[in-house]
Structures are given as C-alpha cells and as structure tokens.
Amino acid sequence: MKRLYLLRHAKSSWEDPEGSDFGRSLSKRGRRAAPAIGRYIQSEGFRPRLVLCSSARRTRETCELALAAWTPPPEIRFEPALYLAEPETILRLLAVLPEAADDVMVIGHNPGLQALAVRLGGGGGEALRRLRSKFPTGGFAVLDLDIDGWRAIADGGGLLIRFVAPRDLD
C-alpha cells in the first residue's frame, strides 16, 4: 500500500507583471493559507516521509510554510521537472522512488496535479466530484494506492480518501 499526497501551491502574487512565472512569490492570502493547510495535514495524522516539490518560488514557499512546524521534518527534494508538470512527468518521478517510500507528497502546479488526481482517483464519491470541478490553490488531496511499488501506479487504481481546500478550513 502506498499513499500519495498532492498539494497545490498556495495563492501566488501577480504584483510584478514583468517578473517570471517561475519566480512568482506567494500572495498575502497564500502566506496565510499555506501554514493553515500544513496544520490541517499534521492534525489529521497525514505524515509524508518524502516530499517532491517543484523548484518554482511559490511551491518552495508553500512547502516551507506548510511544513514548518512538522517534527521531525520530512525529506524534501526540489525537482525542477515538477514545474508545470503534466501527469506523465509526475508519474515518471514517482516510478523511480524506492519501494520503502510508502508516503510521498508532491507539491506542484495545476493543471497537472488535478489531472493526475482525477486519473488515479478511481473512487472518492463527493470528494472526487469536487476535485474534478476545481483543484484550487492550496488544495490538498490524499490518494491510497493498492500497490507494492510506485512503478505499478495505474489509471483508476487509487482511492481518493480526502480532498480539502483552504476555504474548507475557515
């Protein structure tokens, strides 16, 4: 059994229209939402041991703020390939993980995270319906995968057990 956590970066700022998309920071709203979703994740007992995070500024800031209070902190790997990654890219990164990595979080971007969650989430009822409609900034999804190794991930092979948006925490 593997568990995959998907966290979309918190709300980013558009204040610098000349700046690069890669270098955009979090907005004030994002800086409030990231720690809140981090506290939620911890309070629910979700504890990824490994975090794969896009190397874009807004994802790195989300990671830092969301995971700041976690002890012990998980191993964090910043992956340039996760920047605006499609599901196939994310799946390739997961496929090479060691089998001992049972609980993994990916912090990334849409539309890739949403498409991956929909692809994998064979069950999930209302949560999956909501996720299909929108995976907002700061959104968090948890999928259980009945597999022994990450290479065995298959479309529809997961069960979406949780989907939360920052506004759900207010």
Side-chain angles (χ1 to χ4, degrees):
M1 175 72 78
K2 303 288 184 199
R3 180 166 278 175
L4 178 61
Y5 304 96
L6 301 175
L7 176 60
R8 184 174 175 204
H9 64 80
K11 185 76 173 165
S12 59
S13 174
W14 290 95
E15 287 182 7
D16 182 7
E18 300 300 315
S20 72
D21 179 70
F22 186 82
R24 283 192 294 128
S25 64
L26 294 180
S27 67
K28 289 179 185 175
R29 189 170 110 196
R31 290 186 185 285
R32 285 190 309 272
I37 201 75
R39 287 189 300 273
Y40 170 81
I41 293 167
Q42 187 173 39
S43 74
E44 293 296 305
F46 296 129
R47 292 294 300 170
R49 291 182 182 88
L50 173 63
V51 175
L52 304 177
C53 182
S54 163
S55 56
R57 183 174 176 185
R58 60 191 177 273
T59 49
R60 288 184 286 120
E61 289 178 355
T62 298
C63 180
E64 179 183 323
L65 292 168
L67 282 57
W70 294 12
T71 55
E75 176 185 350
I76 300 170
R77 295 184 194 167
F78 295 102
E79 296 283 349
L82 284 174
Y83 176 61
L84 303 180
E86 295 293 325
E88 292 75 21
T89 301
I90 301 168
L91 290 170
R92 279 195 300 275
L93 288 169
L94 292 171
V96 298
L97 293 177
E99 289 196 24
D102 290 330
D103 300 279
V104 176
M105 176 183 280
V106 175
I107 303 177
H109 311 266
N110 254 6
L113 284 184
Q114 181 178 22
L116 179 64
V118 169
R119 253 176 87 166
L120 297 178
E126 177 62 18
L128 186 59
R129 186 196 65 71
R130 284 184 55 224
L131 188 147
R132 278 190 174 122
S133 170
K134 185 175 183 180
F135 198 135
T137 53
F140 174 69
V142 182
L143 294 121
D144 279 346
L145 307 162
D146 191 14
I147 55 175
D148 293 324
W150 291 102
R151 289 182 189 267
I153 294 177
D155 290 359
L159 177 64
L160 179 68
I161 63 165
R162 191 76 54 94
F163 177 60
V164 176
R167 71 173 172 264
D168 299 331
L169 305 178
D170 293 336

